[in-house]
Amino acid sequence: MTDKKRAPRKTKKALTKDIFQSAINILNKEGYENVTFSNVARLAGTGRPVLYRRWKTPFDLLLDAVDYFSEDEISDYSIIDFSDKTLRDNLISVLSHFNASPQFMRAFLFELGQDTPSVQKYSNRMRQQNLSLMDQLLSQAQLSGELQYTVTEDIKLLPFNLLQYQAMMTPNDMTPQFVNDFAVRIVDRIVLPAILAQQQK
């Protein structure tokens, strides 16, 4: 009787990467409706209980997977230096980093329609992140003399809301070049005029 060698057990880090990669692969190839704990576990070579212990829903898992593979993800937004550019250039630069895939936007739209706790948590996180970014670049604009007065919260969120709306309406169009061109248009035609209108006191 021969002993069968077991495959080496994956480290937690390696297993996590496999789980995230499996979730993204299923999303891209089969659609969000097939991103289930069962399908992800099977593709990643693990059991469903492993996923159930770490994530409440497949969308929670997907959010972590997107963050994991995001090349532009910044853990500390306070380290971004806005001092060497104009307000216009900083706005365009921040907005041009939008890189959500069409498949993810469809998943987000589905969850948004269900008004799930997961999508509420994600939306709140993005809102706070966007406000933080705007506070930083607007503070720099005040230091450089471009702005004199504060800007209301609705105007701070305006560029991100416009970009998100465009991504939800035309997810397949959101190539890096399109996003950059769209950022330039909304900054020049809508966002900057709105910000400057609040300086006329």
mmCIF file of all heavy atoms in Angstrom, residues 77-83 87 90-91 94 126-144 147 149-160 191 195 198:
data_model
loop_
_atom_site.group_PDB
_atom_site.id
_atom_site.type_symbol
_atom_site.label_atom_id
_atom_site.label_comp_id
_atom_site.label_asym_id
_atom_site.label_seq_id
_atom_site.Cartn_x
_atom_site.Cartn_y
_atom_site.Cartn_z
ATOM 1 N N TYR A 77 -4.630 58.443 2.168
ATOM 2 C CA TYR A 77 -4.823 59.524 1.214
ATOM 3 C C TYR A 77 -4.213 60.837 1.677
ATOM 4 O O TYR A 77 -4.084 61.779 0.903
ATOM 5 C CB TYR A 77 -6.312 59.706 0.916
ATOM 6 C CG TYR A 77 -6.864 58.605 0.046
ATOM 7 C CD1 TYR A 77 -7.377 57.442 0.604
ATOM 8 C CD2 TYR A 77 -6.832 58.709 -1.343
ATOM 9 C CE1 TYR A 77 -7.858 56.418 -0.186
ATOM 10 C CE2 TYR A 77 -7.312 57.686 -2.145
ATOM 11 C CZ TYR A 77 -7.829 56.548 -1.566
ATOM 12 O OH TYR A 77 -8.287 55.528 -2.348
ATOM 13 N N SER A 78 -3.815 60.911 2.944
ATOM 14 C CA SER A 78 -3.222 62.151 3.448
ATOM 15 C C SER A 78 -1.816 62.374 2.912
ATOM 16 O O SER A 78 -1.264 63.469 3.039
ATOM 17 C CB SER A 78 -3.191 62.129 4.981
ATOM 18 O OG SER A 78 -2.319 61.119 5.453
ATOM 19 N N ILE A 79 -1.210 61.342 2.300
ATOM 20 C CA ILE A 79 0.156 61.486 1.812
ATOM 21 C C ILE A 79 0.213 62.062 0.397
ATOM 22 O O ILE A 79 1.295 62.368 -0.103
ATOM 23 C CB ILE A 79 0.901 60.137 1.836
ATOM 24 C CG1 ILE A 79 0.268 59.148 0.834
ATOM 25 C CG2 ILE A 79 0.921 59.554 3.239
ATOM 26 C CD1 ILE A 79 1.022 57.834 0.707
ATOM 27 N N ILE A 80 -0.927 62.219 -0.254
ATOM 28 C CA ILE A 80 -0.937 62.754 -1.617
ATOM 29 C C ILE A 80 -0.507 64.215 -1.593
ATOM 30 O O ILE A 80 -0.991 65.015 -0.785
ATOM 31 C CB ILE A 80 -2.321 62.623 -2.262
ATOM 32 C CG1 ILE A 80 -2.762 61.164 -2.288
ATOM 33 C CG2 ILE A 80 -2.320 63.200 -3.673
ATOM 34 C CD1 ILE A 80 -4.161 60.960 -2.828
ATOM 35 N N ASP A 81 0.410 64.573 -2.482
ATOM 36 C CA ASP A 81 0.915 65.942 -2.549
ATOM 37 C C ASP A 81 0.214 66.690 -3.683
ATOM 38 O O ASP A 81 0.377 66.373 -4.848
ATOM 39 C CB ASP A 81 2.431 65.925 -2.789
ATOM 40 C CG ASP A 81 3.028 67.330 -2.802
ATOM 41 O OD1 ASP A 81 2.315 68.290 -2.416
ATOM 42 O OD2 ASP A 81 4.197 67.458 -3.187
ATOM 43 N N PHE A 82 -0.603 67.698 -3.317
ATOM 44 C CA PHE A 82 -1.308 68.506 -4.308
ATOM 45 C C PHE A 82 -0.652 69.863 -4.524
ATOM 46 O O PHE A 82 -1.194 70.714 -5.234
ATOM 47 C CB PHE A 82 -2.766 68.731 -3.853
ATOM 48 C CG PHE A 82 -3.615 67.492 -3.847
ATOM 49 C CD1 PHE A 82 -4.074 66.958 -2.651
ATOM 50 C CD2 PHE A 82 -3.951 66.861 -5.025
ATOM 51 C CE1 PHE A 82 -4.872 65.814 -2.643
ATOM 52 C CE2 PHE A 82 -4.741 65.716 -5.031
ATOM 53 C CZ PHE A 82 -5.200 65.193 -3.838
ATOM 54 N N SER A 83 0.512 70.085 -3.924
ATOM 55 C CA SER A 83 1.074 71.436 -3.868
ATOM 56 C C SER A 83 1.691 71.923 -5.170
ATOM 57 O O SER A 83 1.869 73.125 -5.349
ATOM 58 C CB SER A 83 2.134 71.508 -2.759
ATOM 59 O OG SER A 83 3.210 70.612 -3.029
ATOM 60 N N LEU A 87 -5.590 73.855 -9.058
ATOM 61 C CA LEU A 87 -6.821 73.182 -8.656
ATOM 62 C C LEU A 87 -7.390 72.380 -9.822
ATOM 63 O O LEU A 87 -7.801 71.227 -9.646
ATOM 64 C CB LEU A 87 -7.841 74.209 -8.167
ATOM 65 C CG LEU A 87 -9.244 73.683 -7.847
ATOM 66 C CD1 LEU A 87 -9.190 72.611 -6.770
ATOM 67 C CD2 LEU A 87 -10.152 74.838 -7.416
ATOM 68 N N ASN A 90 -5.308 69.233 -10.411
ATOM 69 C CA ASN A 90 -5.498 68.260 -9.331
ATOM 70 C C ASN A 90 -6.844 67.544 -9.452
ATOM 71 O O ASN A 90 -6.942 66.339 -9.231
ATOM 72 C CB ASN A 90 -5.393 68.942 -7.974
ATOM 73 C CG ASN A 90 -3.949 69.178 -7.560
ATOM 74 O OD1 ASN A 90 -3.056 68.395 -7.896
ATOM 75 N ND2 ASN A 90 -3.703 70.250 -6.827
ATOM 76 N N LEU A 91 -7.887 68.291 -9.801
ATOM 77 C CA LEU A 91 -9.197 67.688 -9.980
ATOM 78 C C LEU A 91 -9.174 66.647 -11.102
ATOM 79 O O LEU A 91 -9.677 65.530 -10.942
ATOM 80 C CB LEU A 91 -10.238 68.765 -10.296
ATOM 81 C CG LEU A 91 -10.713 69.629 -9.128
ATOM 82 C CD1 LEU A 91 -11.475 70.844 -9.645
ATOM 83 C CD2 LEU A 91 -11.589 68.817 -8.180
ATOM 84 N N VAL A 94 -7.185 63.471 -10.018
ATOM 85 C CA VAL A 94 -7.919 62.605 -9.088
ATOM 86 C C VAL A 94 -9.009 61.830 -9.815
ATOM 87 O O VAL A 94 -9.160 60.615 -9.642
ATOM 88 C CB VAL A 94 -8.519 63.443 -7.937
ATOM 89 C CG1 VAL A 94 -9.563 62.646 -7.172
ATOM 90 C CG2 VAL A 94 -7.408 63.904 -6.994
ATOM 91 N N MET A 126 -16.855 55.337 0.189
ATOM 92 C CA MET A 126 -16.423 56.120 -0.965
ATOM 93 C C MET A 126 -16.741 57.595 -0.775
ATOM 94 O O MET A 126 -15.956 58.469 -1.163
ATOM 95 C CB MET A 126 -17.088 55.590 -2.238
ATOM 96 C CG MET A 126 -16.667 54.184 -2.618
ATOM 97 S SD MET A 126 -14.865 53.980 -2.723
ATOM 98 C CE MET A 126 -14.472 55.137 -4.035
ATOM 99 N N ARG A 127 -17.867 57.900 -0.160
ATOM 100 C CA ARG A 127 -18.247 59.286 0.092
ATOM 101 C C ARG A 127 -17.235 59.967 0.999
ATOM 102 O O ARG A 127 -16.779 61.084 0.714
ATOM 103 C CB ARG A 127 -19.642 59.326 0.714
ATOM 104 C CG ARG A 127 -20.164 60.720 1.021
ATOM 105 C CD ARG A 127 -21.594 60.641 1.541
ATOM 106 N NE ARG A 127 -22.107 61.955 1.861
ATOM 107 C CZ ARG A 127 -21.876 62.582 3.018
ATOM 108 N NH1 ARG A 127 -21.164 61.977 3.964
ATOM 109 N NH2 ARG A 127 -22.365 63.786 3.231
ATOM 110 N N GLN A 128 -16.862 59.300 2.077
ATOM 111 C CA GLN A 128 -15.888 59.871 3.002
ATOM 112 C C GLN A 128 -14.514 60.004 2.351
ATOM 113 O O GLN A 128 -13.795 60.987 2.571
ATOM 114 C CB GLN A 128 -15.806 59.013 4.271
ATOM 115 C CG GLN A 128 -17.052 59.052 5.126
ATOM 116 C CD GLN A 128 -17.459 60.467 5.503
ATOM 117 O OE1 GLN A 128 -16.625 61.294 5.906
ATOM 118 N NE2 GLN A 128 -18.748 60.761 5.376
ATOM 119 N N GLN A 129 -14.152 59.023 1.555
ATOM 120 C CA GLN A 129 -12.874 59.076 0.853
ATOM 121 C C GLN A 129 -12.843 60.251 -0.124
ATOM 122 O O GLN A 129 -11.845 60.986 -0.202
ATOM 123 C CB GLN A 129 -12.656 57.763 0.103
ATOM 124 C CG GLN A 129 -11.394 57.734 -0.758
ATOM 125 C CD GLN A 129 -11.272 56.433 -1.497
ATOM 126 O OE1 GLN A 129 -11.216 55.361 -0.868
ATOM 127 N NE2 GLN A 129 -11.235 56.474 -2.807
ATOM 128 N N ASN A 130 -13.922 60.433 -0.866
ATOM 129 C CA ASN A 130 -13.988 61.519 -1.840
ATOM 130 C C ASN A 130 -13.980 62.889 -1.164
ATOM 131 O O ASN A 130 -13.337 63.831 -1.644
ATOM 132 C CB ASN A 130 -15.237 61.364 -2.706
ATOM 133 C CG ASN A 130 -15.176 60.140 -3.594
ATOM 134 O OD1 ASN A 130 -14.087 59.626 -3.881
ATOM 135 N ND2 ASN A 130 -16.318 59.644 -4.025
ATOM 136 N N LEU A 131 -14.692 63.001 -0.044
ATOM 137 C CA LEU A 131 -14.684 64.264 0.697
ATOM 138 C C LEU A 131 -13.295 64.576 1.230
ATOM 139 O O LEU A 131 -12.859 65.736 1.209
ATOM 140 C CB LEU A 131 -15.692 64.207 1.847
ATOM 141 C CG LEU A 131 -17.165 64.328 1.478
ATOM 142 C CD1 LEU A 131 -18.049 64.075 2.703
ATOM 143 C CD2 LEU A 131 -17.476 65.708 0.886
ATOM 144 N N SER A 132 -12.607 63.561 1.696
ATOM 145 C CA SER A 132 -11.253 63.758 2.203
ATOM 146 C C SER A 132 -10.316 64.253 1.112
ATOM 147 O O SER A 132 -9.512 65.171 1.320
ATOM 148 C CB SER A 132 -10.726 62.446 2.797
ATOM 149 O OG SER A 132 -9.391 62.582 3.234
ATOM 150 N N LEU A 133 -10.416 63.630 -0.062
ATOM 151 C CA LEU A 133 -9.592 64.062 -1.193
ATOM 152 C C LEU A 133 -9.886 65.512 -1.575
ATOM 153 O O LEU A 133 -8.973 66.312 -1.804
ATOM 154 C CB LEU A 133 -9.835 63.149 -2.391
ATOM 155 C CG LEU A 133 -9.106 61.808 -2.385
ATOM 156 C CD1 LEU A 133 -9.645 60.908 -3.476
ATOM 157 C CD2 LEU A 133 -7.617 62.016 -2.573
ATOM 158 N N MET A 134 -11.161 65.846 -1.641
ATOM 159 C CA MET A 134 -11.544 67.209 -2.011
ATOM 160 C C MET A 134 -11.093 68.217 -0.967
ATOM 161 O O MET A 134 -10.640 69.325 -1.307
ATOM 162 C CB MET A 134 -13.053 67.293 -2.229
ATOM 163 C CG MET A 134 -13.531 66.634 -3.504
ATOM 164 S SD MET A 134 -12.877 67.425 -5.009
ATOM 165 C CE MET A 134 -13.815 68.960 -5.022
ATOM 166 N N ASP A 135 -11.205 67.863 0.301
ATOM 167 C CA ASP A 135 -10.745 68.773 1.356
ATOM 168 C C ASP A 135 -9.254 69.060 1.217
ATOM 169 O O ASP A 135 -8.812 70.199 1.408
ATOM 170 C CB ASP A 135 -11.028 68.167 2.737
ATOM 171 C CG ASP A 135 -12.493 68.266 3.127
ATOM 172 O OD1 ASP A 135 -13.206 69.103 2.536
ATOM 173 O OD2 ASP A 135 -12.919 67.502 4.019
ATOM 174 N N GLN A 136 -8.493 68.027 0.862
ATOM 175 C CA GLN A 136 -7.058 68.207 0.705
ATOM 176 C C GLN A 136 -6.711 69.126 -0.467
ATOM 177 O O GLN A 136 -5.919 70.052 -0.322
ATOM 178 C CB GLN A 136 -6.366 66.855 0.513
ATOM 179 C CG GLN A 136 -6.304 66.013 1.762
ATOM 180 C CD GLN A 136 -5.698 64.656 1.480
ATOM 181 O OE1 GLN A 136 -6.363 63.624 1.531
ATOM 182 N NE2 GLN A 136 -4.433 64.647 1.165
ATOM 183 N N LEU A 137 -7.318 68.861 -1.619
ATOM 184 C CA LEU A 137 -6.938 69.671 -2.781
ATOM 185 C C LEU A 137 -7.535 71.077 -2.725
ATOM 186 O O LEU A 137 -6.932 72.033 -3.220
ATOM 187 C CB LEU A 137 -7.266 68.960 -4.091
ATOM 188 C CG LEU A 137 -8.696 68.626 -4.470
ATOM 189 C CD1 LEU A 137 -9.345 69.770 -5.211
ATOM 190 C CD2 LEU A 137 -8.719 67.378 -5.354
ATOM 191 N N LEU A 138 -8.695 71.227 -2.075
ATOM 192 C CA LEU A 138 -9.269 72.567 -1.912
ATOM 193 C C LEU A 138 -8.486 73.378 -0.892
ATOM 194 O O LEU A 138 -8.322 74.598 -1.046
ATOM 195 C CB LEU A 138 -10.736 72.463 -1.493
ATOM 196 C CG LEU A 138 -11.702 71.939 -2.564
ATOM 197 C CD1 LEU A 138 -13.087 71.695 -1.972
ATOM 198 C CD2 LEU A 138 -11.796 72.908 -3.744
ATOM 199 N N SER A 139 -7.981 72.722 0.145
ATOM 200 C CA SER A 139 -7.134 73.412 1.125
ATOM 201 C C SER A 139 -5.862 73.919 0.461
ATOM 202 O O SER A 139 -5.399 75.028 0.735
ATOM 203 C CB SER A 139 -6.774 72.467 2.280
ATOM 204 O OG SER A 139 -7.910 72.128 3.029
ATOM 205 N N GLN A 140 -5.307 73.101 -0.427
ATOM 206 C CA GLN A 140 -4.119 73.526 -1.162
ATOM 207 C C GLN A 140 -4.433 74.715 -2.075
ATOM 208 O O GLN A 140 -3.625 75.634 -2.213
ATOM 209 C CB GLN A 140 -3.563 72.362 -1.993
ATOM 210 C CG GLN A 140 -2.315 72.706 -2.794
ATOM 211 C CD GLN A 140 -1.193 73.233 -1.934
ATOM 212 O OE1 GLN A 140 -0.897 72.659 -0.884
ATOM 213 N NE2 GLN A 140 -0.556 74.317 -2.346
ATOM 214 N N ALA A 141 -5.620 74.695 -2.687
ATOM 215 C CA ALA A 141 -6.024 75.813 -3.549
ATOM 216 C C ALA A 141 -6.175 77.104 -2.742
ATOM 217 O O ALA A 141 -5.881 78.194 -3.241
ATOM 218 C CB ALA A 141 -7.333 75.473 -4.256
ATOM 219 N N GLN A 142 -6.612 76.983 -1.498
ATOM 220 C CA GLN A 142 -6.711 78.157 -0.633
ATOM 221 C C GLN A 142 -5.319 78.664 -0.260
ATOM 222 O O GLN A 142 -5.070 79.873 -0.256
ATOM 223 C CB GLN A 142 -7.509 77.829 0.625
ATOM 224 C CG GLN A 142 -9.006 77.669 0.372
ATOM 225 C CD GLN A 142 -9.779 77.362 1.643
ATOM 226 O OE1 GLN A 142 -9.352 76.539 2.452
ATOM 227 N NE2 GLN A 142 -10.922 78.006 1.818
ATOM 228 N N LEU A 143 -4.406 77.742 0.025
ATOM 229 C CA LEU A 143 -3.035 78.137 0.369
ATOM 230 C C LEU A 143 -2.334 78.830 -0.795
ATOM 231 O O LEU A 143 -1.548 79.761 -0.599
ATOM 232 C CB LEU A 143 -2.225 76.899 0.792
ATOM 233 C CG LEU A 143 -2.568 76.278 2.147
ATOM 234 C CD1 LEU A 143 -1.796 74.980 2.352
ATOM 235 C CD2 LEU A 143 -2.243 77.263 3.276
ATOM 236 N N SER A 144 -2.626 78.374 -2.003
ATOM 237 C CA SER A 144 -1.983 78.961 -3.189
ATOM 238 C C SER A 144 -2.688 80.217 -3.677
ATOM 239 O O SER A 144 -2.229 80.853 -4.631
ATOM 240 C CB SER A 144 -1.926 77.928 -4.313
ATOM 241 O OG SER A 144 -3.237 77.560 -4.732
ATOM 242 N N LEU A 147 -8.425 79.943 -4.193
ATOM 243 C CA LEU A 147 -9.724 80.033 -3.548
ATOM 244 C C LEU A 147 -9.615 80.858 -2.274
ATOM 245 O O LEU A 147 -8.560 80.893 -1.632
ATOM 246 C CB LEU A 147 -10.261 78.636 -3.186
ATOM 247 C CG LEU A 147 -10.500 77.650 -4.329
ATOM 248 C CD1 LEU A 147 -11.030 76.338 -3.772
ATOM 249 C CD2 LEU A 147 -11.466 78.210 -5.361
ATOM 250 N N TYR A 149 -12.859 81.235 -0.163
ATOM 251 C CA TYR A 149 -13.889 80.756 0.750
ATOM 252 C C TYR A 149 -14.025 79.236 0.685
ATOM 253 O O TYR A 149 -13.510 78.587 -0.234
ATOM 254 C CB TYR A 149 -15.241 81.416 0.409
ATOM 255 C CG TYR A 149 -15.207 82.914 0.467
ATOM 256 C CD1 TYR A 149 -15.245 83.684 -0.696
ATOM 257 C CD2 TYR A 149 -15.133 83.571 1.692
ATOM 258 C CE1 TYR A 149 -15.212 85.066 -0.649
ATOM 259 C CE2 TYR A 149 -15.105 84.963 1.759
ATOM 260 C CZ TYR A 149 -15.141 85.707 0.586
ATOM 261 O OH TYR A 149 -15.102 87.075 0.647
ATOM 262 N N THR A 150 -14.746 78.693 1.650
ATOM 263 C CA THR A 150 -14.980 77.248 1.678
ATOM 264 C C THR A 150 -15.972 76.834 0.591
ATOM 265 O O THR A 150 -16.683 77.665 0.025
ATOM 266 C CB THR A 150 -15.521 76.819 3.052
ATOM 267 O OG1 THR A 150 -16.731 77.540 3.305
ATOM 268 C CG2 THR A 150 -14.509 77.104 4.141
ATOM 269 N N VAL A 151 -16.026 75.542 0.341
ATOM 270 C CA VAL A 151 -16.905 74.980 -0.681
ATOM 271 C C VAL A 151 -17.875 74.029 0.009
ATOM 272 O O VAL A 151 -17.487 73.265 0.896
ATOM 273 C CB VAL A 151 -16.086 74.221 -1.754
ATOM 274 C CG1 VAL A 151 -17.000 73.551 -2.766
ATOM 275 C CG2 VAL A 151 -15.114 75.175 -2.446
ATOM 276 N N THR A 152 -19.127 74.068 -0.381
ATOM 277 C CA THR A 152 -20.136 73.221 0.261
ATOM 278 C C THR A 152 -19.931 71.747 -0.098
ATOM 279 O O THR A 152 -19.329 71.421 -1.127
ATOM 280 C CB THR A 152 -21.555 73.650 -0.135
ATOM 281 O OG1 THR A 152 -21.681 73.582 -1.565
ATOM 282 C CG2 THR A 152 -21.843 75.065 0.340
ATOM 283 N N GLU A 153 -20.487 70.891 0.748
ATOM 284 C CA GLU A 153 -20.284 69.451 0.582
ATOM 285 C C GLU A 153 -20.860 68.927 -0.731
ATOM 286 O O GLU A 153 -20.282 68.045 -1.363
ATOM 287 C CB GLU A 153 -20.908 68.714 1.763
ATOM 288 C CG GLU A 153 -20.503 67.266 1.863
ATOM 289 C CD GLU A 153 -20.958 66.619 3.159
ATOM 290 O OE1 GLU A 153 -20.278 66.792 4.183
ATOM 291 O OE2 GLU A 153 -22.008 65.938 3.131
ATOM 292 N N ASP A 154 -21.993 69.443 -1.159
ATOM 293 C CA ASP A 154 -22.593 68.953 -2.400
ATOM 294 C C ASP A 154 -21.709 69.242 -3.607
ATOM 295 O O ASP A 154 -21.624 68.428 -4.530
ATOM 296 C CB ASP A 154 -23.996 69.540 -2.603
ATOM 297 C CG ASP A 154 -23.991 71.059 -2.668
ATOM 298 O OD1 ASP A 154 -23.177 71.681 -1.966
ATOM 299 O OD2 ASP A 154 -24.808 71.632 -3.410
ATOM 300 N N ILE A 155 -21.016 70.372 -3.576
ATOM 301 C CA ILE A 155 -20.107 70.698 -4.680
ATOM 302 C C ILE A 155 -18.845 69.846 -4.599
ATOM 303 O O ILE A 155 -18.291 69.435 -5.627
ATOM 304 C CB ILE A 155 -19.745 72.196 -4.672
ATOM 305 C CG1 ILE A 155 -21.008 73.043 -4.845
ATOM 306 C CG2 ILE A 155 -18.747 72.517 -5.776
ATOM 307 C CD1 ILE A 155 -21.777 72.763 -6.126
ATOM 308 N N LYS A 156 -18.396 69.550 -3.392
ATOM 309 C CA LYS A 156 -17.225 68.675 -3.241
ATOM 310 C C LYS A 156 -17.495 67.295 -3.841
ATOM 311 O O LYS A 156 -16.609 66.681 -4.431
ATOM 312 C CB LYS A 156 -16.872 68.525 -1.761
ATOM 313 C CG LYS A 156 -16.328 69.772 -1.098
ATOM 314 C CD LYS A 156 -16.071 69.513 0.382
ATOM 315 C CE LYS A 156 -15.636 70.770 1.114
ATOM 316 N NZ LYS A 156 -15.438 70.524 2.568
ATOM 317 N N LEU A 157 -18.703 66.814 -3.670
ATOM 318 C CA LEU A 157 -19.045 65.475 -4.165
ATOM 319 C C LEU A 157 -19.478 65.468 -5.631
ATOM 320 O O LEU A 157 -19.554 64.406 -6.249
ATOM 321 C CB LEU A 157 -20.162 64.880 -3.305
ATOM 322 C CG LEU A 157 -19.783 64.556 -1.859
ATOM 323 C CD1 LEU A 157 -21.022 64.155 -1.061
ATOM 324 C CD2 LEU A 157 -18.745 63.435 -1.793
ATOM 325 N N LEU A 158 -19.760 66.634 -6.172
ATOM 326 C CA LEU A 158 -20.284 66.737 -7.530
ATOM 327 C C LEU A 158 -19.444 66.010 -8.578
ATOM 328 O O LEU A 158 -19.996 65.228 -9.370
ATOM 329 C CB LEU A 158 -20.455 68.210 -7.914
ATOM 330 C CG LEU A 158 -20.923 68.505 -9.342
ATOM 331 C CD1 LEU A 158 -22.310 67.909 -9.582
ATOM 332 C CD2 LEU A 158 -20.935 70.014 -9.599
ATOM 333 N N PRO A 159 -18.119 66.200 -8.652
ATOM 334 C CA PRO A 159 -17.356 65.527 -9.718
ATOM 335 C C PRO A 159 -17.410 64.010 -9.616
ATOM 336 O O PRO A 159 -17.497 63.322 -10.637
ATOM 337 C CB PRO A 159 -15.924 66.055 -9.518
ATOM 338 C CG PRO A 159 -15.888 66.570 -8.123
ATOM 339 C CD PRO A 159 -17.263 67.079 -7.842
ATOM 340 N N PHE A 160 -17.394 63.489 -8.400
ATOM 341 C CA PHE A 160 -17.438 62.033 -8.217
ATOM 342 C C PHE A 160 -18.815 61.481 -8.565
ATOM 343 O O PHE A 160 -18.926 60.392 -9.139
ATOM 344 C CB PHE A 160 -17.069 61.683 -6.779
ATOM 345 C CG PHE A 160 -15.737 62.227 -6.358
ATOM 346 C CD1 PHE A 160 -15.655 63.353 -5.549
ATOM 347 C CD2 PHE A 160 -14.561 61.633 -6.790
ATOM 348 C CE1 PHE A 160 -14.425 63.865 -5.166
ATOM 349 C CE2 PHE A 160 -13.328 62.138 -6.416
ATOM 350 C CZ PHE A 160 -13.261 63.257 -5.602
ATOM 351 N N VAL A 191 -17.620 71.559 -12.809
ATOM 352 C CA VAL A 191 -17.089 71.544 -11.447
ATOM 353 C C VAL A 191 -16.389 72.858 -11.088
ATOM 354 O O VAL A 191 -16.707 73.467 -10.053
ATOM 355 C CB VAL A 191 -16.138 70.347 -11.237
ATOM 356 C CG1 VAL A 191 -15.599 70.351 -9.810
ATOM 357 C CG2 VAL A 191 -16.865 69.032 -11.530
ATOM 358 N N ILE A 195 -17.502 75.627 -8.286
ATOM 359 C CA ILE A 195 -16.643 75.999 -7.165
ATOM 360 C C ILE A 195 -16.410 77.513 -7.139
ATOM 361 O O ILE A 195 -16.534 78.171 -6.097
ATOM 362 C CB ILE A 195 -15.296 75.264 -7.252
ATOM 363 C CG1 ILE A 195 -15.490 73.768 -6.973
ATOM 364 C CG2 ILE A 195 -14.272 75.856 -6.272
ATOM 365 C CD1 ILE A 195 -14.234 72.928 -7.180
ATOM 366 N N GLN A 198 -19.130 79.826 -5.832
ATOM 367 C CA GLN A 198 -19.241 79.944 -4.380
ATOM 368 C C GLN A 198 -18.197 80.901 -3.786
ATOM 369 O O GLN A 198 -18.237 81.191 -2.607
ATOM 370 C CB GLN A 198 -19.114 78.566 -3.729
ATOM 371 C CG GLN A 198 -20.248 77.641 -4.082
ATOM 372 C CD GLN A 198 -20.353 76.436 -3.157
ATOM 373 O OE1 GLN A 198 -19.399 76.054 -2.500
ATOM 374 N NE2 GLN A 198 -21.536 75.840 -3.090
#
